[in-house]
Structures are given as structure tokens and as C-alpha cells.
């Protein structure tokens, strides 16, 4: 029936409207519904075009604000000296940046705990007991950039930030506007570097992740019947006894495995923290007060013959360079260091008997106690972690702590021999000059 009705004919429903403005729309709608496959295809095409449509709309909005943005930037140029002064005051800049990006206008840009956790699992978690602050800062920056690379295109975010400038300039918040402009500029010109905006947005996800991990750890300790404050106050021996008791109890061991199975992200975090602490602990050996952990000279001396034979060709090259007033070539120094490491790797199985390891444990306990009494909590915690590694049953030539002790012991004796030889040479030279 509807096929014989013209578009401009009166609608047969009696509404008085033309058919095209009345029931024709309803009929068309019904016909559309009657073809779900076609409707699904149209929806799919629309979904595919959505990112392009959003980009076009975003660019159109940005272009529409072009004059406002230009005027805002022109105004900001008059306040550049004040901003440059702010950039020189790092404490004031950090405080102002924090307050600026805490504004509700930036909530849509906040990172989530899941995003931050994924980044840390990729680049490594920043350690709470790091002795090398530069290394941890680099790791944090890598995590920030990892999140940024997997989120919205930074160019798009930069445009959205720039579109906020007129509003902040109108409010006479010139330093805030400058921080926004600076962050947007960095995202465009240096996308491989962090910036104030990315740092603050990452911080929200980082805080959320830290809170989530803290809650899960607290639940885990309650699950095992352990008090967190009591653990923090434990000595090395008490912590060691607790660890042995926990692992020896089949019921608690099974409970621990079940909890980690239900919370794999916490398991990965704890494993990462332990690994990081163990490797950070190796840096303790570079401290002057760590000398009691070194091997005795009589333990090192038998290996010095082999080492000196291997180093002789490189030592000659290094001496010739120094005689010419030149620094030894980096490749030469690296090769010499590798020789020392090769010899160090062969030493633990021959030196660290059961009795020698027991002595090292005692030395490590004393070292941790001395660090604690000196108020060096971070170093004491790392000494504790180093001691815990000695409880594991693993091949001695694959235990990083033992290899590191052998390495620094070899190195120190090698340096002592070199200094002694140099002193003898200097003495001989002075005698020759006197004659």
C-alpha cells in the first residue's frame, strides 16, 4: 500500500501532514530495523570512523580558537621573565605545578593504577631503598614515558592544553598558563622526555597503585598472622627466624601461594622489590665502612697470580698510555675489569665453605647493626636484604653477593699492589735525581 503513496501525498493516517513528514519516516525506520546485518555494518563503519571524526572535530575546535590562543600567548610573552625566574626556583616550581594540576579540569588526564603498574612491570619498580637516586629517577621517567606512549597521542593532549591558555590568561594566572604552555611545548618538541604535566598526571596513578599495594600487603600479613609493625622493629636474627618459620610451615606456605595466586600483581611487585634490594645491596660494598665484609688477604692472594698473568698485556698498554700523559683507553679498562670479574666468578665455590658463609653472616649482622645505630636506615635495610640472600640455596658461583665480595676484594688488592709499585718507582726516581 505504501508503495503507491507519493512522498508529497497526504498521509493516509489522517494527520493532515504530507506522507514524507509523517508515516514515511516510521516505515523507513521499520525497514531499517528489518535489516540487522546492514545496520551492524553501518555501526561498524561509524565506529571505524570515530577516531577520525574526533580528530577532525578537535582540529576544528583548535582552529576556531586560533585568535584567542595567539592573543593569550602574546600576553604571556610579557610575563616570560617571571616564568624564567620561577624555573630557576625548583622548589617553588614543583609546589606551583602540583597545585595547578590538582585542579579538577585535569582529572580526565589522570593516570590509573593499572597503567602505572603495567609501566613499572615493563621498566622496573623504583626501589624504596635505592642508594643510587639517579638510577631511580631514570626508572621513574621511563615509566612516565611508557604510560604516555600507550595513552592518547601526545600531540592531541598538547592541543587540548594549549586550548586552556585563554581561560588561564583571562584569570590572570600567568605562571600557571606558562607551565601549561611549557608542558605542551615539551610534548611536541621533546616527546621522549618527561615534563611537569606528565609527571603530575602519572603521580595520581602512582599514588593509587601505592595505596592498593599497601592494602594488599597488610591483608597478606594478617592472612599469615604477622604484625607489620613488629616486622619493622625486628633485628636481623629475628627476621631470619620468622622467615624460616613461615617457609617451614606447610599450612602457611600453602596460604601464601594461594594468596599470591589470587593477587599476581602483588607477587610480581614483591619479587621485583626483592630483586632490586638484593642488587642495590651490592652497592654497599663500595662504602669505606664495608671493608670488614671483604675477603682476607690470604684468601685473595692465591688468585692474584692468575689475575696478574691475565692482566699483563692490558697493564702494559695502560702503562704506556700513562707514560705518554694519556688516559688508558676505555676498551682497555673495560677488558681489565672483565678479567677481574672472570676470576671473581671462579672464587666462591672454593672460598665460601659452610664455616666461611657462617662468618660472613655474622659480619653482615654486625654491619647491619652498626648502620642502624648510625641512623642509616636505608643502608641497614639493604644489609638485611643482603643477609637474607645468604639463606637461599643456590650455586655459589651464581650468588651475586659472593661474586661481588670476591670482585671488590680482588680489585682492592690489585690497587694496593699498583700503589706500592708506583711508590717504589717514585722512590727510585727520587734517588736517581739525588745522585
Amino acid at each position: 500500500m505504501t508503495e503507491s503513496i507519493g512522498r508529497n501525498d497526504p498521509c493516509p493516517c489522517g494527520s493532515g501532514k504530507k506522507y514524507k513528514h509523517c508515516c514515511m519516516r516510521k516505515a523507513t525506520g521499520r525497514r531499517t530495523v528489518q535489516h540487522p546485518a546492514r545496520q551492524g555494518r553501518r555501526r561498524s563503519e561509524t565506529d571505524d570512523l570515530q577516531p577520525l571524526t574526533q580528530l577532525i572535530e578537535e582540529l576544528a575546535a583548535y582552529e576556531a580558537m586560533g585568535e584567542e590562543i595567539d592573543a593569550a600567548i602574546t600576553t604571556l610573552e610579557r610575563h616570560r621573565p617571571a616564568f624564567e625566574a620561577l624555573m630557576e626556583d625548583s622548589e617553588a616550581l614543583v609546589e606551583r605545578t602540583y597545585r595547578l594540576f590538582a585542579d579538577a579540569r585535569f582529572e580526565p588526564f589522570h593516570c590509573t593504577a593499572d597503567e602505572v603498574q603495567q609501566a613499572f612491570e615493563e621498566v622496573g619498580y623504583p626501589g624504596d631503598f635505592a642508594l643510587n637516586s639517579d638510577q631511580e629517577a631514570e626508572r621513574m621517567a621511563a615509566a612516565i614515558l611508557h604510560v604516555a606512549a600507550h595513552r592518547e597521542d601526545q600531540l592531541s593532549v598538547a592541543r587540548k592544553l594549549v586550548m586552556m591558555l585563554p581561560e588561564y590568561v583571562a584569570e590572570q594566572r600567568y605562571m600557571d598558563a606558562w607551565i601549561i604552555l611549557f608542558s605542551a611545548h615539551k610534548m611536541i618538541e621533546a616527546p621522549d622526555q618527561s615534563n611537569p604535566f606528565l609527571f603530575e598526571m602519572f603521580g595520581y596513578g602512582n599514588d593509587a597503585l601505592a595505596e592498593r599495594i599497601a592494602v594488599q600487603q597488610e591483608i597478606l600479613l594478617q592472612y599469615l598472622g604477622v604484625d607489620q609493625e613488629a616486622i619493622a622493629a625486628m633485628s636481623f636474627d629475628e627476621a631470619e627466624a620468622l622467615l624460616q618459620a613461615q617457609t617451614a610451615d606447610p599450612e602457611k606456605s600453602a596460604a601464601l601461594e594461594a594468596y599470591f595466586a589470587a593477587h599476581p600483581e602483588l607477587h610480581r611487585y614483591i619479587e621485583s622489590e626483592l630483586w632490586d634490594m638484593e642488587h642495590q645491596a651490592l652497592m654497599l660494598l663500595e662504602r669505606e665502612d664495608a671493608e670488614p665484609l671483604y675477603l682476607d688477604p690470604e684468601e685473595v692472594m692465591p688468585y692474584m697470580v692468575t689475575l696478574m698473568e691475565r692482566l699483563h698485556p692490558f697493564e702494559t698498554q695502560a702503562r704506556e698510555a700513562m707514560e705518554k700523559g694519556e688516559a688508558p683507553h676505555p676498551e682497555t679498562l673495560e677488558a681489565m675489569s672483565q678479567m677481574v670479574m672472570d676470576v671473581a666468578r671462579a672464587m666462591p665455590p672454593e672460598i665460601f665453605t659452610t664455616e666461611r658463609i657462617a662468618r660472613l653472616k655474622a659480619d653482615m649482622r654486625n654491619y647491619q647493626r652498626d648502620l642502624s645505630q648510625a641512623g642509616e636506615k636505608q643502608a641497614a635495610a639493604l644489609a638485611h636484604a643482603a643477609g637474607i640472600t645468604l639463606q637461599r640455596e643456590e650455586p655459589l658461583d651464581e650468588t651475586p653477593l659472593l661474586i661481588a665480595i670476591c670482585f671488590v676484594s680482588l680489585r682492592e688488592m690489585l690497587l694496593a699492589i699498583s700503589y706500592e709499585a708506583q711508590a717504589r718507582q717514585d722512590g727510585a726516581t727520587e734517588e736517581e735525581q739525588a745522585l
Side-chain angles (χ1 to χ4, degrees):
M1 175 179 176
T2 56
E3 294 180 358
S4 61
I5 302 175
R7 291 167 49 86
N8 295 316
D9 292 340
C11 187
C13 72
S15 65
K17 299 179 181 178
K18 292 183 179 181
Y19 176 57
K20 67 180 179 180
H21 294 309
C22 192
C23 290
M24 179 179 174
R25 292 180 176 177
K26 300 176 185 178
T28 303
R30 285 195 298 270
R31 286 197 295 272
T32 302
V33 172
Q34 290 171 358
H35 296 280
R38 186 180 303 165
Q39 183 185 35
R41 186 164 59 251
R42 289 198 185 108
R43 186 180 301 115
S44 176
E45 292 170 354
T46 301
D47 292 342
D48 292 340
L49 291 174
Q50 186 173 2
L52 179 59
T53 302
Q54 290 178 343
L55 176 60
I56 293 173
E57 292 175 352
E58 177 186 307
L59 291 173
Y62 183 81
E63 290 296 328
M65 291 186 63
E67 293 184 2
E68 293 180 73
I69 293 171
D70 290 343
I73 292 177
T74 299
T75 300
L76 288 180
E77 282 297 327
R78 295 198 292 270
H79 300 272
R80 178 184 286 274
F83 175 66
E84 291 176 347
L86 176 62
M87 291 289 285
E88 294 296 325
D89 188 343
S90 58
E91 186 174 341
L93 178 63
V94 168
E95 174 62 24
R96 181 139 203 159
T97 299
Y98 173 78
R99 286 189 285 107
L100 165 62
F101 292 124
D103 193 292
R105 282 175 277 198
F106 299 97
E107 286 184 6
F109 301 101
H110 287 183
C111 296
T112 66
D114 289 339
E115 289 177 313
V116 173
Q117 182 171 12
Q118 184 180 9
F120 283 148
E121 290 183 1
E122 182 68 26
V123 306
Y125 285 86
D128 293 331
F129 301 96
L131 295 179
N132 188 337
S133 58
D134 291 340
Q135 180 182 13
E136 295 309 302
E138 290 175 2
R139 190 175 294 181
M140 181 68 77
I144 292 172
L145 294 176
H146 183 278
V147 172
H150 290 77
R151 302 189 94 206
E152 185 179 4
D153 177 52
Q154 290 200 52
L155 181 58
S156 176
V157 175
R159 279 194 294 265
K160 292 177 181 178
L161 292 180
V162 171
M163 290 170 68
M164 295 181 179
L165 293 180
E167 183 177 358
Y168 279 87
V169 170
E171 296 172 4
Q172 297 185 359
R173 296 173 60 178
Y174 303 121
M175 294 302 98
D176 290 341
W178 257 114
I179 293 172
I180 293 172
L181 179 59
F182 175 79
S183 297
H185 177 77
K186 282 292 184 182
M187 276 189 274
I188 297 172
E189 298 297 326
D192 59 341
Q193 298 177 17
S194 181
N195 61 68
F197 171 78
L198 291 180
F199 180 84
E200 292 298 334
M201 297 304 101
F202 182 89
Y204 288 98
N206 192 31
D207 291 345
L209 175 61
E211 182 177 355
R212 186 166 73 186
I213 289 175
V215 169
Q216 290 182 354
Q217 287 179 323
E218 179 64 27
I219 294 174
L220 172 60
L221 293 177
Q222 294 176 0
Y223 196 54
L224 298 174
V226 180
D227 182 72
Q228 189 169 13
E229 293 184 0
I231 290 179
M234 283 182 180
S235 66
F236 182 92
D237 294 333
E238 291 170 337
E240 182 178 351
L242 174 63
L243 177 63
Q244 291 178 347
Q246 291 288 334
T247 54
D249 187 332
E251 184 177 345
K252 289 189 175 181
S253 181
L256 183 63
E257 290 183 8
Y259 190 86
F260 281 149
H263 302 85
E265 68 284 354
L266 177 61
H267 191 200
R268 291 192 296 269
Y269 167 76
I270 292 177
E271 284 186 333
S272 174
E273 284 286 284
L274 291 175
W275 185 92
D276 204 44
M277 284 189 69
E278 291 173 9
H279 285 75
Q280 289 283 347
L282 302 182
M283 297 177 62
L284 290 173
L285 298 175
E286 299 296 337
R287 294 170 55 114
E288 292 184 2
D289 58 9
E291 190 173 347
L293 302 176
Y294 294 2
L295 299 177
D296 298 329
E298 56 268 24
E299 292 176 312
V300 180
M301 188 58 72
Y303 299 92
M304 288 301 298
V305 176
T306 301
L307 180 59
M308 295 297 286
E309 290 176 352
R310 296 186 182 183
L311 288 177
H312 182 69
F314 301 101
E315 186 180 8
T316 302
Q317 296 175 17
R319 186 183 299 111
E320 290 175 352
M322 295 178 67
E323 289 174 353
K324 296 178 181 178
E326 301 174 355
H329 202 278
E331 281 82 358
T332 300
L333 296 177
E334 184 177 350
M336 294 174 70
S337 180
Q338 186 59 51
M339 287 293 182
V340 178
M341 178 58 72
D342 291 342
V343 174
R345 289 185 183 279
M347 294 170 64
E350 300 174 4
I351 291 178
F352 287 101
T353 61
T354 302
E355 294 77 14
R356 186 63 178 85
I357 289 180
R359 177 185 153 193
L360 178 59
K361 289 180 181 179
D363 291 340
M364 191 65 74
R365 292 190 189 97
N366 294 334
Y367 187 44
Q368 182 199 4
R369 182 200 60 218
D370 294 342
L371 291 171
S372 297
Q373 292 177 350
E376 297 196 48
K377 295 183 178 180
Q378 280 188 318
L382 291 177
H384 187 184
I388 293 297
T389 66
L390 298 175
Q391 306 301 321
R392 293 201 300 263
E393 296 182 0
E394 60 182 357
L396 297 178
D397 58 352
E398 296 179 9
T399 304
L401 178 62
L402 301 183
I403 296 172
I405 289 174
C406 292
F407 178 86
V408 296
S409 300
L410 282 171
R411 185 191 64 191
E412 292 305 305
M413 180 167 284
L414 187 62
L415 289 174
I417 293 174
S418 298
Y419 290 148
E420 185 178 348
Q422 185 63 44
R424 287 198 302 267
Q425 182 178 350
D426 292 343
T429 302
E430 290 177 359
E431 291 180 3
E432 290 175 0
Q433 290 175 350
L435 293 174

